[in-house]
Amino acid sequence: MILTVKKNSDKLSVDRLIDQLSARGLEINYSEGENFIVLGLVGDTTALDVNWLKSFDFVEEVTRVAAPYKKANRMFHPEDSVIMVQDIPVGGKERIVVIGGPCAVESEEQIQRIAKEVSEAGAVMLRGGAYKPRTSPYTFQGLGSKGIRMMEKAGKENGLPIVSELMSADHLEEFVQHVDLIQIGARNMQNFDLLKAVGKVNKPILLKRGMANTIEEWIMSAEYILASGNPNVILCERGIRTFEKYTRNTLDLSVIPLIKQKTHLPIIIDPSHATGDWSLVESVSLAAIAAGADGLIIEVHDHPEWALSDGAQSLKPEKFKRVIEKGRKIAEVIGRKL
Ligand code: PEP
Ligand code: MN
């Protein structure tokens, strides 16, 4: 980190700050220029608050050279992390995983039918929300515990680990017992208490990017989970809010190589929430595979017109199957397997 200090600052105050920083184990390289004094802080500055440093009136500028995250940082962990969801590896150079299922579990029959369809199409995990984060309190809120049980049964009968969103730490115990991959949704990406709570369990976590969060904020949220003791984090990009209205969200695929440069964590893409439109899901899915995504999580419904949420972005099973078939070809071209 580099601190630029105003030239005519009170020496005693500057020395006092230097002493404070040294006491935190940092080495301070002092160099006096014509207009400014430059302090080079060497050591682990991840815990240093830039805004605290900026609060000193003699500090002109604070520049971070290293990223504020440590455990997620590729620099300190050069090899890819491979996260196991039951016996399915996510991440690494070879395999690409496809997760399919409805936005929400709606009934025993619905989740049974769709689980069978996505399994036959080639999905390796089943998604489905039981606790739904809905914009309106008057719309379907999910089946709660009953939904989790229905999904667990459908997943077991079809040999698919299950993915579901945890909205509150109150249900963590239930998820640890019955869910294979715990999803933290976009709306909770910065619910720090929830992140700390899932950081204390041993289950893999699917951390979605917040709809208005920077990539660095997203990685910092992963850092919360990692720093709390859970190394099993998979990132999921689902698009962000922009001025564009033709799609539900805006998906910037450069996030895939970027996350891989900055972190060692797997990244999967959610083309359903990213576009909000089933007719765009196939193209975006194939592009994501080509760009190096470690997987896809796609909403599938056998009767989208009956869906209690997100029908417009849900693929029918035959279309989902086609995405997987085409995806396999792209995967082969880039030396991976789907
Ligand atoms: C979901 O996956 O069901 C969901 C609500 O997604 P997001 O948190 O990305 O909006
Ligand atoms: Mn949805």
Side-chain angles (χ1 to χ4, degrees), residues 127 132-133 165 183 185-187 208 238 270 273 299:
R127 67 146 286 148
K132 292 302 299 176
E165 176 170 352
Q183 176 174 323
R187 290 154 192 81
K208 294 191 111 181
R238 40 79 77 214
D270 173 347
H273 292 89
E299 288 186 337

Side-chain angles (χ1 to χ4, degrees), residues 82-208:
V82 177
I83 311 301
M84 296 303 296
V85 181
Q86 298 269 44
D87 59 343
I88 296 167
V90 183
K93 300 273 178 278
E94 201 178 319
R95 190 146 170 208
I96 296 167
V97 296
V98 178
I99 304 167
C103 178
V105 183
E106 298 167 356
S107 69
E108 176 99 45
E109 299 71 38
Q110 175 248 21
I111 194 69
Q112 285 286 349
R113 285 194 317 265
I114 299 175
K116 189 163 179 289
E117 296 271 20
V118 298
S119 165
E120 284 171 6
V124 295
M125 283 185 234
L126 176 66
R127 67 146 286 148
Y131 298 89
K132 292 302 299 176
R134 304 303 305 281
T135 301
S136 165
Y138 307 118
T139 55
F140 178 61
Q141 302 286 303
L143 298 179
S145 290
K146 277 192 201 136
I148 295 288
R149 298 306 165 99
M150 289 172 190
M151 221 184 141
E152 187 183 26
K153 188 161 173 267
K156 284 218 167 83
E157 288 176 11
N158 291 280
L160 303 171
I162 62 168
V163 189
S164 200
E165 176 170 352
L166 174 70
M167 289 213 295
S168 155
D170 292 348
H171 300 125
L172 183 54
E173 208 27 63
E174 179 185 16
F175 275 60
V176 167
Q177 281 185 35
H178 303 287
V179 175
D180 303 298
L181 175 57
I182 302 176
Q183 176 174 323
I184 300 297
R187 290 154 192 81
N188 273 314
M189 189 208 85
Q190 284 191 316
N191 181 338
F192 299 116
D193 282 344
L194 188 58
L195 298 176
K196 285 185 206 168
V198 297
K200 292 196 183 79
V201 302
N202 205 18
K203 282 266 162 143
I205 308 300
L206 183 66
L207 179 64
K208 294 191 111 181

